Amino acid sequence: MVTEDVIAEVTIPRHVLEMDIADALGVSASDVSLCLMRDVGEALQEGDVIAQTMGTIPRVVRAPVEGRLVACYQGKVTLATGEYLIQCQAGLNGTVVDVIPEYDVIL
């Protein structure tokens, strides 16, 4: 292994967008989960329905951008948009002798 070899990488969102679904739908934060039309982790296209109320005049919240629904908490949802790859190079010459998952490598 040479110093430029990649030993770890992670993909993170370029942008994070928080949307107040409870406010947009006019419901309590505890009722938002009943109105969600998408699951956490699901990919969304711009214009996809995220949540809606039922009734004579339904209210709808749509995804303003393409992204992924990453969280729903206290009446709000979080969308992650775009991806950014971060790579960690070895920095030293040597051989990987052990991997500590999610944490470290030993050269």
Side-chain angles (χ1 to χ4, degrees), residues 2-107:
V2 294
T3 58
E4 295 84 22
D5 285 350
V6 175
I7 59 172
E9 63 183 22
V10 63
T11 302
I12 61 172
R14 284 195 180 273
H15 303 284
V16 177
L17 173 67
E18 185 176 85
M19 301 174 63
D20 190 338
I21 301 297
D23 186 53
L25 295 180
V27 299
S28 69
S30 60
D31 288 338
V32 166
S33 62
L34 301 172
C35 300
L36 283 179
M37 305 301 289
R38 303 295 181 155
D39 295 322
V40 171
E42 192 170 342
L44 301 170
Q45 298 298 316
E46 183 177 344
D48 283 352
V49 175
I50 297 173
Q52 71 180 31
T53 60
M54 300 299 171
T56 306
I57 303 175
R59 292 185 180 187
V60 176
V61 176
R62 296 183 183 275
V65 293
E66 180 181 337
R68 182 169 305 280
L69 181 62
V70 293
C72 179
Y73 183 69
Q74 294 184 342
K76 298 177 181 178
V77 297
T78 305
L79 300 178
T81 64
E83 291 184 344
Y84 181 70
L85 180 65
I86 297 175
Q87 295 181 330
C88 179
Q89 295 177 332
L92 301 169
N93 289 330
T95 303
V96 175
V97 294
D98 196 11
V99 175
I100 302 169
E102 306 294 323
Y103 182 69
D104 205 356
V105 298
I106 298 173
L107 296 177

